[in-house]
Amino acid sequence: MTERNKPREGSADTRGIASHARPNRRRAASVAAERFLHAVFGNNVVIGSHVLRQLDSLKEVMPPDLLGRKADDLGCGDGKLTVLLRDILRPVRLRGFDVNP
């Protein structure tokens, strides 16, 4: 066996690689549905799972001295994310601004 054809030490067999490369079917269907709804309706129907994960991260790292202040959301759209930010920031006043009514 030549050096090039020898399996590397610690490498996975091809079955293991193939099983890890295949995405979870339920997750793939969820992402596909999310993309379809966003393409048709924009952010008015669905908030992407990636955005929800970012908001969860924000909850974890939010310094306590930033809570309870006045907050403005510039480019808030329909305000769905503004409501979620309200739950995280707990502001004394929250205003949303957008170019579209």
Side-chain angles (χ1 to χ4, degrees):
M1 192 179 261
T2 65
E3 187 68 30
R4 191 179 348 174
N5 294 335
K6 285 184 183 177
R8 287 186 291 160
E9 193 173 316
S11 65
D13 66 320
T14 56
R15 287 183 313 235
I17 292 171
S19 67
H20 292 297
R22 263 185 265 137
N24 180 328
R25 286 184 183 171
R26 184 175 289 169
R27 171 80 180 124
S30 173
V31 169
E34 184 179 301
R35 287 182 179 158
F36 171 76
L37 289 171
H38 186 271
V40 175
F41 300 106
N43 285 334
N44 293 325
V45 172
V46 64
I47 296 173
S49 57
H50 64 289
V51 175
L52 296 174
R53 284 192 304 273
Q54 290 172 344
L55 290 172
D56 287 340
S57 296
L58 182 61
K59 285 179 197 175
E60 294 173 12
V61 301
M62 178 60 65
D65 59 331
L66 290 180
L67 301 175
R69 295 183 175 199
K70 295 178 182 177
D72 294 331
D73 185 0
L74 305 178
C76 66
D78 62 2
K80 282 191 175 89
L81 287 178
T82 308
V83 171
L84 297 175
L85 285 172
R86 180 192 63 202
D87 297 338
I88 296 170
L89 300 173
R90 299 188 302 267
V92 294
R93 183 204 74 213
L94 178 61
R95 299 183 301 180
F97 298 92
D98 199 274
V99 296
N100 293 317

